[in-house]
Amino acid sequence: MEIPYTVEPRPDTGLYNAKLGIWLFLASEVMLFGALFSTYILLRTGNPNWVQHPMDVPLATLNTMLLISSSVTVVLAWAGLRLKNFAQFRKYGILTLLLAGGFMVIKGFEYSAEFSAGLFPWTDNYMAVYFTMTGLHGLHIVGGMVVIAYLLGPGAKMWETEPERFTNRIEVFGLYWHFVDLVWIFLFPSLYLL
Amino acid sequence: MSAHDSPEAIQAETRKYIMVFAGLAVLTIITVAISYLDLSIGMAVALAMVVATVKGSLVAAYFMHLIDERKAIYAILALTMFFFVVLMLVPPAAFSDHTGVSTEVAREADGEHH
């Protein structure tokens, strides 16, 4: 049986199913990260002896720039497919993967420096919050890297048979990726600068 | 192909994406610069959150196309935002109920009562 509404919009929602699906998923993600932000606010404002360890702001700023850049490369990859230009998609898709990889490598350096300084998730509340939130965010980055690697590799075969459906897949991936970027936009000042 | 998907429209969109990227980069620098100012914690939090919200709105509006989306998505987001606000109200609600008050402060408060 063929899956309906993979390309044409459903008459009632005006959306193809994957797009509705990703927005419902992102709604659940808002609640997941929202709960963690709420917990952070409660723990921090409720503790008069809150300890804030100095974090590596220049590295985190560089990571912010990498993630913002990867959001642009994703929309440019999608624009490439809409222009029927697969080479543009491939170029910007690979760039997205590299930028995401760069983000994780830098995060790895940061974690390594923190462990060397004796800072672990069980050190205090700040470090627990820091590792939980950046760790969960990092897992989202890794998940996105797996998906874009698949779409650049074996998944790209769909471009030959169902180009519109493939273009929609990239749009859906892009929505997820921008959300991951958006979460970092709030994590960065909350954990590194305040 | 709709007018939305014409090569000219897509090229124009691409230029918009680059401009948004430039805006996000500048705002990131502003966020870091604010953290070096000698501000009270309340002012620093407020400014940082204002800048982050502007950045987040740019990403949501342009990269996630929320500036021009279907009603079904706005409906999902409105419901999500309602419950997100409820989550954000948990800390102040907890304090107004004295839950989460540090042990030291609670002990002092108890001492005053006895």
Side-chain angles (χ1 to χ4, degrees):
Chain A
M1 199 180 88
E2 201 177 306
I3 302 171
Y5 306 113
T6 53
V7 174
E8 75 279 17
R10 267 178 71 109
D12 51 358
T13 61
L15 302 161
Y16 58 91
N17 278 352
K19 192 161 175 178
L20 182 66
I22 193 72
W23 275 110
L24 288 171
F25 172 68
L26 293 182
S28 75
E29 290 279 274
V30 169
M31 300 314 287
L32 173 64
F33 281 101
L36 290 174
F37 271 107
S38 182
T39 305
Y40 174 38
I41 295 166
L42 184 65
L43 286 172
R44 184 160 176 177
T45 53
N47 183 356
N49 304 315
W50 181 263
V51 178
Q52 184 85 8
H53 301 281
M55 294 284 124
D56 197 327
V57 174
L59 270 189
T61 307
L62 176 61
N63 253 355
T64 305
M65 291 297 188
L66 289 185
L67 219 48
I68 291 169
S69 305
S70 74
S71 259
V72 182
T73 55
V74 165
V75 281
L76 294 181
W78 179 56
L81 291 180
R82 288 163 72 211
L83 290 166
K84 314 283 180 228
N85 184 346
F86 189 79
Q88 180 179 329
F89 157 72
R90 203 170 185 80
K91 182 173 79 178
Y92 286 112
I94 291 171
L95 215 48
T96 304
L97 191 57
L98 291 175
L99 288 165
F103 180 94
M104 289 310 295
V105 168
I106 289 175
K107 204 84 211 93
F109 281 131
E110 273 187 67
Y111 276 9
S112 167
E114 282 142 16
F115 293 150
S116 302
L119 299 172
F120 297 96
W122 53 86
T123 302
D124 53 38
N125 278 351
Y126 172 67
M127 292 318 295
V129 167
Y130 168 83
F131 280 113
T132 302
M133 294 183 87
T134 58
L136 184 67
H137 180 265
L139 282 177
H140 279 74
I141 297 275
V142 172
M145 286 174 74
V146 170
V147 173
I148 190 68
Y150 170 76
L151 291 170
L152 283 164
K157 283 182 193 140
M158 185 184 268
W159 176 250
E160 306 295 331
T161 53
E162 296 175 274
E164 282 186 57
R165 189 175 173 192
F166 184 69
T167 306
N168 287 348
R169 282 193 170 181
I170 301 303
E171 183 185 18
V172 164
F173 167 74
L175 287 170
Y176 167 80
W177 196 252
H178 302 313
F179 175 79
V180 174
D181 183 16
L182 214 155
V183 169
W184 182 259
I185 283 172
F186 284 92
L187 274 182
F188 173 53
S190 306
L191 294 175
Y192 288 83
L193 304 177
L194 295 175
Chain B
M1 184 183 276
S2 67
H4 226 60
D5 289 331
S6 70
E8 295 75 29
I10 296 169
Q11 301 287 5
E13 263 181 49
T14 303
R15 282 192 292 277
K16 211 184 297 173
Y17 295 146
I18 304 292
M19 284 172 67
V20 170
F21 167 70
L24 290 171
V26 170
L27 287 168
T28 299
I29 293 164
I30 290 174
T31 307
V32 178
I34 287 171
S35 74
Y36 287 104
L37 297 176
D38 191 19
L39 298 170
S40 66
I41 183 71
M43 183 60 89
V45 169
L47 274 178
M49 286 304 115
V50 166
V51 178
T53 304
V54 173
K55 286 171 75 182
S57 304
L58 282 174
V59 170
Y62 293 99
F63 291 163
M64 300 173 92
H65 331 124
L66 283 181
I67 203 159
D68 177 27
E69 258 308 348
R70 299 282 174 188
K71 277 183 189 163
I73 290 176
Y74 291 139
I76 293 169
L77 283 179
L79 198 62
T80 309
M81 278 305 114
F82 171 77
F83 285 108
F84 180 78
V85 170
V86 170
L87 267 181
M88 290 304 119
L89 289 176
V90 168
F95 284 117
S96 68
D97 194 35
H98 268 233
T99 312
V101 174
S102 74
T103 326
E104 197 181 333
V105 176
R107 212 177 289 133
E108 278 173 21
D110 280 348
E112 282 169 19
H113 286 301
H114 294 303

